[in-house]
């Protein structure tokens, strides 16, 4: 069974440009999360979808970040316009909704470098 | 809100020795404490977790202890092997939505053969 997949694995853009990250969760996982790790710091929660609805977006840093999960399948995270401090690794994770055990299944991350 | 502190940030041990990583949390309402391992270039993976109704949990060479009174929990790895080399993250459930975890900053463990 395929795990959580993320695309692109690495993106280098200039300040002011736009980047869209994509996450495909494990099939059947209604919970989908976005996390971010800035170099050397903690993995920080951004938001949580249950199916297509935003359950918790308390970690979204500002309105330059827009997450969507149309149809409750894959999700996108758009950063527009990107700033230098947005650089980091963006992780997507998914989990079951019914029968949630606490375990999150992470993707390998999308590394974003803003120059 | 919840805050998780993790120490040390780096840890180097000889193969066969034990390794201990410690975390403290601030929110007494937190009730779920997972540990994730991230090998270089790979995804974070859950290795063990503990809930607040138990004080210790063991899985082969890995154990986690929880002290609710002191609000700290620790990861113990015995008989370390080179393949244990990775970054380890502790986390606490903030009590918010399912899966809203507050992570520590990570500990880079190096096991020297």
């Amino acid at each position: 069974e395929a795990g959580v997949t993320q695309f692109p694995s690495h993106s280098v853009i200039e300040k002011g440009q736009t980047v869209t990250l994509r996450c495909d969760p494990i099939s059947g996982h209604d919970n989908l999360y976005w996390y971010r790790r800035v170099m050397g710091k903690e993995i920080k929660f951004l938001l949580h979808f249950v199916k297509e609805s935003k359950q918790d977006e308390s970690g979204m840093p500002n309105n330059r970040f827009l997450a969507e999960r149309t149809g409750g399948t894959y999700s996108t995270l758009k950063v527009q316009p990107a700033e230098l401090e947005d650089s980091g690794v963006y992780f997507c994770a998914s989990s079951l909704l019914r029968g949630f055990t606490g375990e999150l299944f992470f993707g390998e991350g999308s590394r974003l470098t803003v120059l | 809100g919840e805050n998780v502190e993790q120490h040390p940030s780096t840890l180097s041990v000889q193969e066969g020795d034990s390794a201990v990583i410690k975390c403290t949390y601030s929110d007494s309402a937190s009730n779920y404490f997972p540990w994730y391992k991230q090998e270089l270039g790979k995804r974070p993976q859950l290795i063990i977790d503990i809930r607040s109704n138990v004080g210790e949990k063991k899985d082969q060479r890995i154990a986690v202890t929880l002290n609710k009174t002191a609000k700290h929990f620790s990861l113990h790895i015995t008989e370390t092997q080179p393949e244990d080399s990775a970054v380890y993250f502790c986390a606490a459930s903030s009590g918010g939505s399912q899966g809203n975890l507050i992570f520590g900053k990570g500990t880079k463990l190096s096991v020297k053969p």
Side-chain angles (χ1 to χ4, degrees):
Chain A
E1 181 184 333
V4 176
T5 56
Q6 293 187 243
F7 182 83
S9 56
H10 193 186
S11 181
V12 182
I13 61 173
E14 295 197 346
K15 176 181 168 179
Q17 290 187 319
T18 297
V19 64
T20 300
L21 310 178
R22 173 172 168 144
C23 169
D24 286 77
I26 292 172
S27 177
H29 281 192
D30 288 332
N31 282 326
L32 185 149
Y33 316 85
W34 284 97
Y35 280 82
R36 173 173 76 171
R37 188 180 191 214
V38 173
M39 185 177 312
K41 298 202 170 180
E42 70 273 22
I43 300 173
K44 210 164 185 181
F45 171 83
L46 297 179
L47 89 161
H48 168 208
F49 283 100
V50 176
K51 299 183 182 179
E52 67 276 8
S53 300
K54 289 176 186 173
Q55 181 75 14
D56 181 351
E57 51 185 330
S58 60
M60 293 289 264
N62 51 60
N63 59 9
R64 296 185 294 103
F65 290 75
L66 175 65
E68 294 181 319
R69 192 183 183 194
T70 309
T73 54
Y74 71 91
S75 175
T76 58
L77 179 65
K78 182 194 283 190
V79 186
Q80 178 183 31
E83 298 289 342
L84 298 178
E85 64 264 24
D86 300 333
S87 296
V89 181
Y90 289 77
F91 289 103
C92 176
S94 71
S95 72
L96 290 169
L97 177 60
R98 288 183 181 229
F100 178 69
T101 63
E103 181 172 7
L104 304 188
F105 295 85
F106 281 85
E108 292 190 342
S110 290
R111 180 177 294 277
L112 173 63
T113 302
V114 183
L115 303 176
Chain B
E2 176 65 280
N3 182 51
V4 175
E5 298 285 340
Q6 182 172 349
H7 299 280
S9 55
T10 60
L11 179 59
S12 182
V13 300
Q14 284 295 132
E15 182 177 0
D17 287 351
S18 294
V20 181
I21 302 170
K22 298 182 179 181
C23 290
T24 60
Y25 62 98
S26 59
D27 187 351
S28 55
S30 290
N31 57 8
Y32 174 66
F33 307 91
W35 287 87
Y36 281 80
K37 174 185 180 183
Q38 186 182 16
E39 296 178 42
L40 190 63
K42 297 193 177 180
R43 66 195 71 211
Q45 289 190 297
L46 180 71
I47 54 170
I48 196 167
D49 57 12
I50 191 167
R51 297 185 188 276
S52 58
N53 57 346
V54 299
E56 184 173 1
K57 186 176 178 181
K58 219 172 180 180
D59 183 2
Q60 299 181 340
R61 296 186 297 107
I62 292 173
V64 58
T65 57
L66 171 65
N67 182 327
K68 283 177 60 181
T69 303
K71 295 207 274 278
H72 65 70
F73 56 113
S74 301
L75 178 72
H76 303 252
I77 307 174
T78 57
E79 299 170 31
T80 54
Q81 300 166 4
E83 52 265 38
D84 294 330
S85 297
V87 179
Y88 291 80
F89 294 93
C90 65
S93 172
S94 69
S97 62
Q98 263 185 7
N100 183 339
L101 296 175
I102 308 301
F103 282 90
K105 291 185 179 179
T107 296
K108 184 176 181 181
L109 174 63
S110 301
V111 180
K112 298 180 179 178

